[in-house]
Amino acid sequence: MKALPLSAGALPAVASTTVRRVRSVRGVAVAFWWVLSIGCFAGLWEAAWAVGWADPLLLPPPHIFLAHFSDQAQAFSSSDVIGEVSTDSAYLALLTTIVASSLRVIAGLALGFTCSVGMGLLIRYFKPFGNITLPTITLLAPISPIAWLPVAIFIFGIGNPPAIFMVFISLFFVMTLSTISQIDAVSRTYLNVGAIMGASRRQLFLHVIIPAILPSLFMTLRMNLFGAWMVVLVAEATGVGSGLGQIVMLARNTFNSSLSFFTMTLIGLVGFLFDVALRQIQNRVLFWVPPSAVGRL
Amino acid sequence: MDRPLSAKPPLIACRGVGKRWETAGGTVTALDGIDLLVDRREFVVFLGPSGCGKSTLLYLIAGLEQLTSGTISSGGAEVTGPGTDRGLIFQESSLFPWMSVGENVTFGLKLRGMGTDERRSLAADLLRKVGLADAADKRPDQLSGGMRQRAAMARALALRPEVLLLDEPFAALDVQTRSKMQDFLIEVWRESGASMLFVTHHIDEAVGLADRVVVFTARPGRIKSIVPVDLPRPRDPRSPAFHALSDHLTDLLRDEVDRAFAEQERVA
Ligand SMILES: Nc1ncnc2c1ncn2[C@@H]1O[C@H](COP(=O)(O)OP(=O)(O)O)[C@@H](O)[C@H]1O
Ligand SMILES: [Mg+2]
């Protein structure tokens, strides 16, 4: 549900109760379809297993790959510990793994967002800078982030930096070009208002152009979120040393289909929570986006 | 069309003003040979068929566009860019959605380095003057169209302009709101002591507001005729004198609208 804190507060009390009721009814409806949708998906899978179409070794249905939660969690304990690991520390390992991957995504997104928006602004603010950098950026933009993986490892070796770099690079060129096109698309009227009010070029960028472009740039960021998760998993799978991507690789190498689906479920959930979080930030901080552009659950 | 109405120097002086737009489809002459003097405290309305260059002339006076011939001066100084002596009100809502109404109204003062507290109390004053006393902390999208235009006026008035340039400011409003806003504008005009340059294609709006109506020809925009409106205010749109004037303007405009249509058909 989209939060409308300010407009709801402005309505008289009676109207706001109605609004709240309408909203909670809609919330229930949304939840209903969520449960039904996932229920149907899982149900079909379970049915396929029940009638023997889905081989439980290759396509274990949810009740199997979610059943041995603590066993699954064992896999997340760091690989140099051999033998049984206590369940508690296994859960801790699972949590650490998720957090490690998440932090890489967050660091990469934050870095990528700031640098690319800054780059786009510089390109439009200082014309010669734009002239010298834009052709190269335009040329580098279409290179798939995956192709940067060896470069990331050459430069940064093993560990967090290459994974963060991968997220950064997956965002940087797209967002830089997007920033530029957003700057060029700022409403003529807003720029005219700035000029009429006597804004200097710097003030125009600071008070008009940046606030005008931020909401749609945040949309671009959200759309690139799943891409960022993808490159982090690839980076982790190819040798960062830890993280959800490494578990996926482990599942593949040990032919552990249950673990594979279990990890996929985690990745899906975490990615979804990320999107929800970004959407909340967008609603709170960048409240001037038209609701239609925010998207709904 | 120079007009030695008063001995005092005019506020706005357009002499031989022309504007050509260079577009991908070729050169468009939007304005040609505009001579116009506007006195202090005068209310002048630009009336003409759509596309005749009324907005263009307003933007030239505002200093937002460069003219291609002639000169424009404001308060005796040549116009080379925007200045606080000239405020502009746009047709569409031009409040920044990322600022509260109060912040919007004092945006020009913020650019000049006025502190937050001072601006806050000034915003309250300005908004009270335009009948939006409680709107300072609201967001622009919580205001109606008419309220937004009043806030835009407060924003322009904050810089104490000598002339307000209004580009069809009420075109998007419904008829009742529009008529209220016209009354309101007259009050603002009286109180602020500024001149008004008001663009419209509504004949009744022109007669209701203007000291003088400047009628434009179809493209290229030239001044076809300047019609003084000597009706006492408040004006009654049902009075015979009002009707006579609006009939006169209708006749003047009809030829131009026909010509504009013929041109459009020829081009299409
Ligand atoms: N920025 C621009 N670039 C090119 N042509 C323009 C521009 N603005 C206006 N024109 C052209 O100039 C003419 C006059 O436009 P405008 O001043 O908006 O007319 P009006 O306000 O009287 O309807 C039109 O033919 C329009 O297409
Ligand atoms: Mg116009």
Side-chain angles (χ1 to χ4, degrees):
Chain A
M1 296 293 314
K2 206 189 103 54
L4 279 169
L6 280 168
S7 58
L11 294 168
V14 181
S16 96
T17 357
T18 321
V19 166
R20 221 171 287 139
R21 189 171 317 132
V22 166
R23 205 178 290 162
S24 70
V25 165
R26 209 187 287 152
V28 169
V30 169
F32 170 77
W33 287 113
W34 269 81
V35 170
L36 194 66
S37 172
I38 296 167
C40 283
F41 178 66
L44 282 174
W45 196 347
E46 295 287 354
W49 165 79
V51 299
W53 288 343
D55 182 340
L57 281 179
L58 300 176
L59 293 172
H63 85 269
I64 292 179
F65 71 74
L66 293 178
H68 309 291
F69 193 84
S70 55
D71 288 356
Q72 307 278 26
Q74 301 282 350
F76 290 77
S77 306
S78 67
S79 45
D80 42 81
V81 181
I82 301 170
E84 273 300 293
V85 188
S86 82
T87 310
D88 278 356
S89 69
Y91 285 145
L92 193 67
L94 181 125
L95 200 67
T96 318
T97 310
I98 295 175
V99 169
S101 293
S102 302
L103 284 180
R104 285 174 196 132
V105 172
I106 291 172
L109 287 179
L111 214 61
F113 187 76
T114 344
C115 291
S116 55
V117 173
M119 187 73 181
L121 287 166
L122 285 177
I123 286 174
R124 275 298 178 256
Y125 194 87
F126 299 110
K127 215 168 164 29
F129 182 74
N131 290 341
I132 194 78
T133 53
L134 198 49
T136 308
I137 290 176
T138 313
L139 206 66
L140 291 177
I143 300 175
S144 159
I146 301 299
W148 284 90
L149 185 62
V151 183
I153 293 170
F154 299 157
I155 302 178
F156 295 106
I158 297 291
N160 282 322
I164 295 172
F165 174 79
M166 288 293 288
V167 177
F168 171 85
I169 216 76
S170 76
L171 204 62
F172 181 75
F173 297 108
V174 192
M175 289 281 297
T176 302
L177 293 181
S178 165
T179 304
I180 293 171
S181 67
Q182 292 299 333
I183 293 176
D184 295 344
V186 171
S187 144
R188 191 79 231 156
T189 306
Y190 291 160
L191 297 176
N192 279 338
V193 169
I196 280 290
M197 293 283 134
S200 66
R201 192 171 158 71
R202 199 183 64 85
Q203 288 175 321
L204 206 61
F205 268 80
L206 208 60
H207 298 300
V208 181
I209 292 177
I210 292 180
I213 63 174
L214 268 188
S216 36
L217 289 181
F218 211 74
M219 278 301 283
T220 318
L221 178 71
R222 265 183 60 199
M223 288 193 303
N224 280 285
L225 175 65
F226 300 133
W229 267 101
M230 187 179 76
V231 298
V232 147
L233 294 177
V234 171
E236 288 172 347
T238 30
V240 165
S242 65
L244 289 166
Q246 192 213 21
I247 305 296
V248 171
M249 218 50 192
L250 179 75
R252 195 203 92 128
N253 292 340
T254 58
F255 215 78
N256 186 345
S257 54
S258 269
L259 180 59
S260 174
F261 284 114
F262 179 72
T263 317
M264 283 170 74
T265 310
L266 287 183
I267 294 171
L269 276 176
V270 176
F272 169 76
L273 291 177
F274 261 65
D275 191 50
V276 171
L278 281 185
R279 201 190 310 241
Q280 286 302 318
I281 296 176
Q282 191 173 349
N283 287 342
R284 299 259 147 80
V285 185
L286 305 172
F287 57 83
W288 60 95
V289 215
S292 59
V294 180
R296 312 179 61 91
L297 282 182
Chain B
M1 297 271 168
D2 249 46
R3 167 199 57 104
L5 212 159
S6 63
K8 275 185 272 173
L11 179 64
I12 301 288
C14 303
R15 294 198 168 84
V17 169
K19 175 68 183 176
R20 285 188 311 276
W21 293 106
E22 307 293 342
T23 63
T27 307
V28 176
T29 307
L31 291 170
D32 187 36
I34 302 289
D35 289 310
L36 179 70
L37 301 178
V38 178
D39 280 326
R40 284 182 192 277
R41 294 177 162 268
E42 194 180 15
F43 202 127
V44 173
V45 170
F46 293 172
L47 183 67
S50 157
C52 71
K54 306 180 296 290
S55 300
T56 302
L57 183 54
L58 219 58
Y59 278 43
L60 287 174
I61 296 172
L64 288 173
E65 302 286 354
Q66 301 299 314
L67 35 67
T68 40
S69 59
T71 58
I72 296 176
S73 68
S74 167
E78 188 170 340
V79 169
T80 53
T84 48
D85 52 330
R86 287 150 288 141
L88 181 57
I89 314 272
F90 299 85
Q91 175 173 347
E92 69 270 41
S93 171
S94 60
L95 301 179
F96 296 138
W98 53 86
M99 291 179 185
S100 71
V101 174
E103 287 171 327
N104 264 289
V105 165
T106 52
F107 177 60
L109 301 164
K110 177 185 185 168
L111 295 177
R112 275 159 195 74
M114 186 186 278
T116 316
D117 293 340
E118 203 176 341
R119 271 190 287 127
R120 188 181 293 275
S121 70
L122 215 104
D125 286 350
L126 286 161
L127 285 170
R128 197 169 323 109
K129 274 190 195 134
V130 296
L132 292 174
D134 299 327
D137 292 327
K138 291 206 170 129
R139 274 159 35 187
D141 62 4
Q142 293 174 297
L143 303 186
S144 69
M147 288 157 97
R148 280 202 286 262
Q149 285 304 57
R150 276 189 274 170
M153 268 182 226
R155 177 175 66 185
L157 293 171
L159 297 178
R160 306 187 166 280
E162 294 182 88
V163 57
L164 265 194
L165 312 166
L166 303 108
D167 190 7
E168 308 200 33
F170 307 148
L173 306 180
D174 60 77
V175 180
Q176 288 80 13
T177 314
R178 172 189 280 261
S179 136
K180 284 270 174 231
M181 289 293 285
Q182 289 163 358
D183 298 345
F184 167 75
L185 181 64
I186 291 294
E187 264 172 53
V188 167
W189 172 54
R190 288 236 170 89
E191 200 168 308
S192 66
S195 306
M196 299 278 164
L197 276 180
F198 186 103
V199 168
T200 184
H201 55 254
H202 271 244
I203 289 168
D204 284 357
E205 190 164 62
V207 179
L209 294 173
D211 289 329
R212 285 191 298 153
V213 180
V214 179
V215 184
F216 283 76
T217 65
R219 220 172 55 210
R222 296 196 183 89
I223 293 178
K224 183 183 174 96
S225 151
I226 295 184
V227 180
V229 182
D230 289 326
L231 306 177
R233 293 185 173 93
R235 289 174 181 168
D236 178 9
R238 278 164 300 192
S239 74
F242 196 107
H243 273 296
L245 264 169
S246 79
D247 287 349
H248 177 52
L249 289 172
T250 307
D251 290 339
L252 284 172
L253 261 189
R254 188 178 295 123
D255 300 346
E256 299 310 322
V257 175
D258 288 349
R259 265 185 51 207
F261 259 81
E263 166 130 349
Q264 276 164 19
E265 270 164 20
R266 195 179 54 79
V267 173

